[in-house]
Amino acid sequence: AKINNINVTAGAFDFAFIGGSVGASEGEAIIYGIQNAIDNKQPFILFTASGGMRMFESLIALSQMTRVTLAVNELKKNNLPYIVVLTDPTAGGITASYAMLGDLEIAESDHCLISFAGSRVIKATIKEDLPEGFQKSRYVQKTGFVDLIVDRKDLAENIGTILSILLKKNSVVSSEENETSEDSQSLTKAAS
């Protein structure tokens, strides 16, 4: 795909298919997408919508958390941006692993559910009432797990701007960088 004239590789979950659960084939598809991004030197954008790992695939499904995390680490070793767009719902094992490893975490809307375990399970476990809006994107942003909340209609524009900055494709950012490097060169000469 192209966003703001920047080539990107993107992956997306389909919640309509078994609740967006992740099994061996989904893990392989994400890893393939990340490898494509590395091969083509492109940012990788992942749109999540999942109930978690596919439990009827047992350890095969759970191993996808580790496998995809290792692929994300390779992406980062290649200095390529990894942006995660958390859509409603994003829950379970992907939240406990690669969905929260983005260089930038964007929640799609104020009401987006972002959780590991369900609120009833947590409430029963800790035997306390949970704060209002617990596990919704605004609350998750206040606790530091989400960087931005952006409406779907504004995603392309916002992601394009962010990628322009991260990849230094914006002329304003590039000119500021040149001024900064000239300033640091003159400081280095003055110091010596």
Side-chain angles (χ1 to χ4, degrees):
K2 273 191 187 246
I3 298 177
N4 205 19
N5 275 337
I6 298 169
N7 291 323
V8 300
T9 301
F13 287 74
D14 182 1
F15 195 78
F17 182 74
I18 316 176
S21 61
V22 175
S25 59
E26 290 77 15
E28 197 63 36
I30 297 167
I31 292 167
Y32 180 82
I34 292 171
Q35 187 60 54
N36 182 71
I38 293 169
D39 292 345
N40 293 294
K41 297 181 181 9
Q42 298 174 347
F44 185 70
I45 304 168
L46 184 63
F47 294 83
T48 63
S50 177
M53 309 320 281
R54 192 168 296 154
M55 288 296 93
F56 61 82
E57 286 190 28
S58 66
L59 289 176
I60 293 169
L62 290 174
S63 70
Q64 303 314 307
M65 294 167 60
T66 307
R67 292 182 72 231
V68 174
T69 297
L70 291 171
V72 167
N73 288 342
E74 288 301 312
L75 187 74
K76 291 182 177 197
K77 281 181 191 174
N78 283 275
N79 295 318
L80 295 167
Y82 173 49
I83 296 175
V84 180
V85 180
L86 304 159
T87 69
D88 186 43
T90 296
I94 66 163
T95 309
S97 60
Y98 55 87
M100 300 311 280
L101 296 176
D103 297 313
L104 194 68
E105 298 286 335
I106 301 172
E108 186 183 47
S109 67
D110 286 339
H111 65 278
C112 180
L113 174 72
I114 304 165
S115 68
F116 174 64
S119 58
R120 287 183 300 194
V121 172
I122 294 170
K123 187 175 179 178
T125 303
I126 65 172
K127 299 184 183 357
E128 292 180 18
D129 288 333
L130 301 172
E132 189 175 327
F134 182 70
Q135 298 180 325
K136 298 295 183 180
S137 46
R138 280 281 170 220
Y139 184 87
V140 178
Q141 183 184 36
K142 286 179 189 172
T143 58
F145 289 98
V146 167
D147 298 304
L148 293 169
I149 297 175
V150 179
D151 286 331
R152 182 173 285 193
K153 65 181 177 48
D154 300 323
L155 276 173
E157 180 184 344
N158 280 268
I159 291 172
T161 301
I162 290 162
L163 289 176
S164 293
I165 293 167
L166 290 175
L167 299 171
K168 299 175 184 163
K169 301 276 185 186
N170 184 325
S171 60
V172 174
V173 174
S174 297
S175 65
E176 286 177 6
E177 180 187 278
N178 289 338
E179 289 171 16
T180 305
S181 62
E182 288 170 11
D183 290 344
S184 63
Q185 288 172 1
S186 62
L187 285 173
T188 305
K189 286 178 185 175
S192 41

